[in-house]
Amino acid sequence: MGNARSVLELTPEELALQLGELGEPAYRADQILHWVYKEGVLDFAEMTNLSKELRARLAAEYSIDSGREISRSGSAGGTLKLLLAWADGVTTECVMIPAGRRRTACVSTQVGCDVGCRFCASGLEGALRNLTVGEVLAQVLAVKNLLAPSGERVSNVVFMGMGEPLANYAVTVEATRRLNAEWGFGIGRRKITISTVGLPKQIRRLAREGLQATLALSLHAASEELRADLIPWARRLPMGELLGACRFYLEKTGREITLEYCLLSGVNDRKRDAADLARIARDLRAHVNLMMYNPVAKLPFARPSRAHAEDFLRDLRSRGVNVHLRESRGLEADAACGQLRRRGEKA
């Protein structure tokens, strides 16, 4: 089964072509993909509108590799993180985040991360490999099946897990198309967010894809010097070039950009940081999403107090910025990127 072709890697056209070689009509592909994406079925034996003979043949030649759950952790607020193992033994994380009526799947695009943000657990060992389209979709499928018993569904998807989505560009774009496709998950394009530390060439390229996804820039520092210190990749990504690419995305797509900003106590949460951040946000007409840092063992950063975070929020609002403080979801769930994976590797 290790060499079996995963259905999750295939489009309807690709699957129909392969099934045609088995003497099956093209509509079988639609039936199979309906079972997988709409019903969340992971076993060919349960696809009851297919003949027993075909089900057996599919099981012999194909797989529905949704990853093997290694562990999970949850928080009182309902956030649930899964650690999934893939066929080659590597692991990645995905998270189900509840907020009001929304149920968001936060997915990874790489095993580890090469960006090396100094405050993040994901990049402590670098990136081992890119995930495939099927492995990205499998994470959403895992969250879908997690929600199914309660009658809930995945309403939003964010590429904000482990890895840099635009460093795995082709997979991120294709996965986004399949998330939106009617034959796939059927999730609205504007309910899909692609987060990036900021690769200017890829941002400009993404603007031309016609995806209409939300672009979230992981800014985390509003001065070039501080950002280069916190995010090693930023040393080769000049702020002016990066913000120019974001302006191009805004102009090309008409989609508001979100600036992700993780508050690190005493590092990027001072008055002058708020002033610098406000200038960037106004220039891009961007929404700012503040987060309070989830501490990572052995990293020299601390979480600011709630009161201090709210002061920073008010400061930004007084400067005309559209800003929200994202509720902390999952301190108990090892919810910061990479924490559950690190805990699993040390177990």
Side-chain angles (χ1 to χ4, degrees), residues 5 14 134 230 235 239 267 277 321 324 342-343 345:
R5 293 165 287 185
E14 291 167 340
L230 292 175
R235 294 167 192 162
M239 188 80 86
V267 177
L277 177 56
V321 176
H324 291 86
R342 291 189 74 218
R343 190 181 73 184
E345 289 175 346

Side-chain angles (χ1 to χ4, degrees), residues 170-187:
V171 163
T172 295
V173 169
E174 181 60 21
T176 299
R177 295 193 194 284
R178 297 188 193 187
L179 287 169
N180 173 243
E182 189 53 43
W183 60 265
F185 286 101
I187 295 171

Side-chain angles (χ1 to χ4, degrees), residues 93-97 104-108 139 143 157-161:
E93 302 168 348
C94 63
V95 188
M96 189 285 292
I97 306 170
T104 298
C106 177
V107 300
S108 299
Q139 297 170 71
V143 174
V157 175
V158 294
F159 289 80
M160 288 186 185

Side-chain angles (χ1 to χ4, degrees), residues 124-155:
L124 291 177
E125 290 86 29
L128 297 180
R129 70 169 174 86
N130 287 333
L131 293 182
T132 67
V133 172
E135 288 167 339
V136 173
L137 297 177
Q139 297 170 71
V140 182
L141 189 57
V143 174
K144 173 185 174 67
N145 286 342
L146 198 65
L147 293 170
S150 62
E152 298 175 317
R153 58 182 292 274
V154 176
S155 61

